[in-house]
């Protein structure tokens, strides 16, 4: 009965590789988000989707490409991974753009 | 650009104490403010959401207040317990279409 789920939980990869993180919510929400939490624990928005449409893109490098196949899923694909991409990536969802946000457990990405 | 600051960065108290966590924001024209809890290695859990028109919200032993004009919010935890140990994050939304801007959090340790 998990509300917001992410896979994988941990991801270790080499510089230059391409990887994807998946997110699914079963709350019936129409808005989904990707956040990045860096080594200093600072949590920052990356993308926001509403009804499968990109609403917010916070100056994220175009190596990061989100994809929302339907309202319940928001995946994140990262090309040409760099050391600085190492972080914990959180997916979240809400009902409407201003609704209470529910977070997934996070994906810890380590780029070697 | 909105900036959110949380003081203190870390707090250690004995069980049973009442405590206050502080959050300040630079742009007082906010839509709402939210307090979250983050446990190590896990996602965020929403604790309280205060709309800009509200002064406070209460949930169990938690009480959050909002003073928009001074750009401040406090989270009051009554009769703290070891299970309250976590990082507490404050986040503000500037409009109904914007995303959350987070503070860096206060790491709370409640010892038995």
């Amino acid at each position: 009965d998990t509300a917001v789920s992410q896979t994988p939980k941990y991801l270790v990869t080499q510089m230059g590789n391409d990887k994807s993180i998946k997110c699914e919510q079963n709350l019936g929400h129409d808005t989904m988000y990707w956040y990045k939490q860096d080594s200093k624990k600072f949590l920052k928005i990356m993308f926001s989707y509403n009804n499968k449409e990109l609403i917010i893109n916070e100056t994220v490098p175009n190596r990061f490409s989100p994809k929302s196949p339907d309202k319940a899923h928001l995946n994140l694909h990262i090309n040409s991974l760099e050391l600085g991409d190492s972080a914990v990536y959180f997916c979240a969802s809400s009902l409407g753009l201003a609704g209470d946000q529910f977070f997934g457990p996070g994906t810890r990405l380590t780029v070697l | 650009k909105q900036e959110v600051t949380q003081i203190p960065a870390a707090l250690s108290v004995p069980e049973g104490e009442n405590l206050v966590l502080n959050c300040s924001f630079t742009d007082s024209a906010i839509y709402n403010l939210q307090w979250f809890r983050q446990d190590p290695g896990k996602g965020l859990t929403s604790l309280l959401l205060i709309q800009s028109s509200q002064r406070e919200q209460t949930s169990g032993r938690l009480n959050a207040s909002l003073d928009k004009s001074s750009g401040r919010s406090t989270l009051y935890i009554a009769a703290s317990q070891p299970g309250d140990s976590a990082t507490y994050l404050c986040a503000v939304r500037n409009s109904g279409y914007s995303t959350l801007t987070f503070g860096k959090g206060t790491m709370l340790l409640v010892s038995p």
Side-chain angles (χ1 to χ4, degrees), chain B residues 1-42:
Chain B
K1 182 184 174 185
Q2 180 72 271
E3 291 183 6
V4 180
T5 304
Q6 290 186 247
I7 295 173
L11 182 62
S12 182
V13 300
E15 183 177 6
E17 273 202 12
N18 302 325
L19 55 99
V20 175
L21 307 181
N22 296 293
C23 171
S24 61
F25 43 94
T26 53
D27 183 351
S28 61
I30 65 168
Y31 185 83
N32 59 31
L33 181 145
Q34 205 163 351
W35 282 94
F36 292 87
R37 168 186 173 138
Q38 184 175 22
D39 292 282
K42 296 189 177 177

Side-chain angles (χ1 to χ4, degrees), chain B residues 6 16-17 19 21 27 38 45 52 58 75-76 89 93 95:
Chain B
Q6 290 186 247
E17 273 202 12
L19 55 99
L21 307 181
D27 183 351
Q38 184 175 22
T45 302
S52 62
T58 298
L75 180 66
Y76 175 82
L89 294 155
R93 179 181 278 108
S95 75

Side-chain angles (χ1 to χ4, degrees), chain B:
Chain B
K1 182 184 174 185
Q2 180 72 271
E3 291 183 6
V4 180
T5 304
Q6 290 186 247
I7 295 173
L11 182 62
S12 182
V13 300
E15 183 177 6
E17 273 202 12
N18 302 325
L19 55 99
V20 175
L21 307 181
N22 296 293
C23 171
S24 61
F25 43 94
T26 53
D27 183 351
S28 61
I30 65 168
Y31 185 83
N32 59 31
L33 181 145
Q34 205 163 351
W35 282 94
F36 292 87
R37 168 186 173 138
Q38 184 175 22
D39 292 282
K42 296 189 177 177
L44 279 67
T45 302
S46 178
L47 298 172
L48 291 162
L49 172 72
I50 311 178
Q51 301 295 344
S52 62
S53 58
Q54 297 175 319
R55 298 283 293 184
E56 65 178 343
Q57 281 284 350
T58 298
S59 176
R61 294 182 294 109
L62 304 180
N63 176 278
S65 68
L66 173 63
D67 184 343
K68 243 180 46 167
S69 59
S70 66
R72 293 183 183 185
S73 175
T74 61
L75 180 66
Y76 175 82
I77 303 177
S80 58
Q81 302 171 357
D84 295 331
S85 298
T87 296
Y88 291 80
L89 294 155
C90 169
V92 301
R93 179 181 278 108
N94 274 79
S95 75
Y97 300 97
S98 67
T99 58
L100 295 170
T101 300
F102 281 85
K104 291 189 177 181
T106 293
M107 189 182 302
L108 173 65
L109 176 64
V110 181
S111 50

